[in-house]
Amino acid sequence: DERAAARVLAGLYRAVPFARHGRRAGGRLPPDLETRPLSAPSLEARKRSEAAFQVGTLGSGNHFVELQADDEGRLWLMLHSGSRGIGQAIRDHHLALCATGRRGLRFLDASSPEGRAYLDDVGWALAYAEANRRALVDAVLDVVEPALGVRRDESSRVSCNHNHVRRESHRGLDLWVHRKG
């Protein structure tokens, strides 16, 4: 019925905030991320302020939560969100330290202190994005499970990043490649 659907949607709206900018209280980083350092004082400050308050928030732009049903009538949750503002801050910080190659591509030597710092910070951002998605999924399911009488099936969980850096081999060279999308 329409009233029940409206209650579920209102519950989702309350459970899944799109942002927490400017709040004085709220989220907390998972302990492993809180104690894992980032490479620069400016990133650490951003981690303690913005990142801590954005855990469990959806974001804007192309970020979304969607309920889907497959051909067998099974209900699926699709969520698109990630590292929020801290991922972009990490990218911007390290991009400013990059050299520019002959063809205009920006790069860091992965074996340099700057390159290792970048890879460590990206690893932190990927772990943060996973924690954020997990918090969002839990919040959605806390609303949906009792309202629809369904139960989560963790064995069906699929998680992937839409921004990542990985080691790839191209023309006999081992390279770290940043992929988006």
Side-chain angles (χ1 to χ4, degrees):
D1 105 19
E2 285 185 31
R3 287 183 199 170
R7 282 193 302 274
V8 170
L9 289 175
L12 288 173
Y13 185 76
R14 284 188 302 276
V16 182
F18 69 90
R20 286 194 177 144
H21 290 289
R23 289 195 179 174
R24 302 239 184 266
R28 184 167 169 83
L29 289 172
D32 60 319
L33 293 175
E34 193 169 345
T35 59
R36 185 173 163 186
L38 291 170
S39 66
S42 62
L43 294 176
E44 274 296 312
R46 198 95 183 243
K47 176 177 92 172
R48 287 188 306 277
S49 61
E50 186 177 315
F53 290 100
Q54 288 186 341
V55 171
T57 64
L58 188 60
S60 58
N62 67 349
H63 296 182
F64 64 88
V65 173
E66 182 175 292
L67 295 175
Q68 304 174 348
D70 66 18
D71 292 339
E72 284 87 42
R74 293 175 296 202
L75 189 62
W76 292 85
L77 168 64
M78 178 181 269
L79 165 72
H80 177 73
S81 188
S83 61
R84 309 284 285 111
I86 190 70
Q88 184 173 351
I90 288 169
R91 182 208 60 207
D92 292 346
H93 171 80
H94 291 285
L95 197 57
L97 303 174
C98 287
T100 303
R102 291 189 321 254
R103 295 185 181 180
L105 292 177
R106 314 258 341 246
F107 70 93
L108 288 170
D109 179 346
S111 63
S112 71
E114 296 83 9
R116 287 190 306 275
Y118 170 69
L119 292 173
D120 288 345
D121 288 352
V122 166
W124 188 95
L126 291 171
Y128 178 88
E130 180 64 29
N132 184 50
R133 287 190 299 273
R134 182 153 306 272
L136 288 166
V137 166
D138 288 345
V140 169
L141 293 178
D142 286 349
V143 172
V144 170
E145 285 180 326
L148 301 181
V150 296
R151 294 274 177 252
R152 69 184 80 191
D153 175 3
E154 284 292 328
S155 71
S156 68
R157 180 179 166 84
V158 175
S159 182
C160 62
N161 299 302
H162 70 279
N163 292 319
H164 62 273
V165 175
R166 75 173 168 216
R167 191 97 167 147
E168 296 180 7
S169 182
H170 294 275
R171 297 185 181 163
L173 296 173
D174 286 334
L175 306 168
W176 286 96
V177 178
H178 178 261
R179 300 269 182 211
K180 180 172 178 69

